Amino acid sequence: MGKYILKRCGYIIVVFLIVSFLMYSLYNLIPSDPARAQMEPLRQTLKPEQYEQQYKEYRKNGNLAACRDMMHEALEQFPRDHHMMINLAETLHLFEGGTATEREAYADGHYAAQIRSLCERVLEDCKKEQERLRATLLLCKHYAASGNTNEAV
């Protein structure tokens, strides 16, 4: 009886591993996000100036998802770049007033907390006055929109 149970448990484990591998493969091999598909060729090859140029192009075309993904990618490579932090925070802020899908992403992605965190990090660490002013302005807009006028002032 013990051999039978061990044999069945072994089969269950093998089937679980096969199904897990198949699900992982399907998830990573099927391109589902068009913005991610645009970003993949550029991955690991861009300098900060190139990220900025691509960001401006996406922003001019109104492609907020690509802007967001571009800045996330840039911050993965350059985690202490305050200019990119503010670009990301501004892009996330634009999701609040965007299309229905973008507003849903704003709520589901907890973008308000990310905006606040990015801006506060810039204010704590950054020495450049222009970046600090952009962070302060964005925080004031964010606090005023959320009804927290004491923090906004």
Side-chain angles (χ1 to χ4, degrees):
M1 184 70 172
K3 276 185 169 181
Y4 176 77
I5 292 173
L6 287 175
K7 190 176 179 182
R8 293 297 171 212
C9 287
Y11 287 144
I12 290 171
I13 291 171
V14 168
V15 168
F16 174 76
L17 291 174
I18 291 171
V19 169
S20 296
F21 176 74
L22 290 174
M23 293 301 291
Y24 173 80
S25 297
L26 284 173
Y27 179 75
N28 287 324
L29 295 178
I30 297 174
S32 59
D33 186 12
R36 183 176 178 186
Q38 287 179 340
M39 292 292 299
E40 282 304 316
L42 303 175
R43 191 178 185 118
Q44 301 290 337
T45 60
L46 296 179
K47 295 180 177 146
E49 300 81 25
Q50 293 169 318
Y51 275 113
E52 181 69 19
Q53 180 182 8
Q54 192 68 35
Y55 168 78
K56 287 179 181 178
E57 184 177 318
Y58 286 144
R59 182 101 183 248
K60 185 174 77 174
N61 295 333
N63 191 347
L64 293 179
C67 287
R68 177 197 59 211
D69 295 342
M70 172 69 69
M71 286 297 106
H72 276 298
E73 176 73 26
L75 284 174
E76 285 178 15
Q77 288 190 6
F78 308 102
R80 310 268 310 150
D81 191 321
H82 299 104
H83 183 72
M84 291 183 195
M85 286 181 199
I86 290 299
N87 284 350
L88 176 59
E90 287 176 345
T91 301
L92 295 177
H93 179 71
L94 291 174
F95 271 79
E96 185 178 21
T99 64
T101 307
E102 291 168 346
R103 287 192 306 272
E104 185 177 320
Y106 180 86
D108 293 345
H110 306 288
Y111 288 176
Q114 290 181 42
I115 293 168
R116 189 171 37 254
S117 172
L118 287 166
C119 290
E120 288 173 353
R121 203 161 128 203
V122 168
L123 289 174
E124 289 174 10
D125 298 341
C126 186
K127 303 291 184 224
K128 295 180 182 175
E129 194 62 30
Q130 182 179 4
E131 306 305 330
R132 293 177 59 79
L133 290 173
R134 287 174 65 198
T136 303
L137 176 65
L138 195 54
L139 269 178
C140 287
K141 286 180 184 177
H142 175 70
Y143 286 139
S146 65
N148 193 353
T149 55
N150 292 334
E151 289 290 329
V153 175

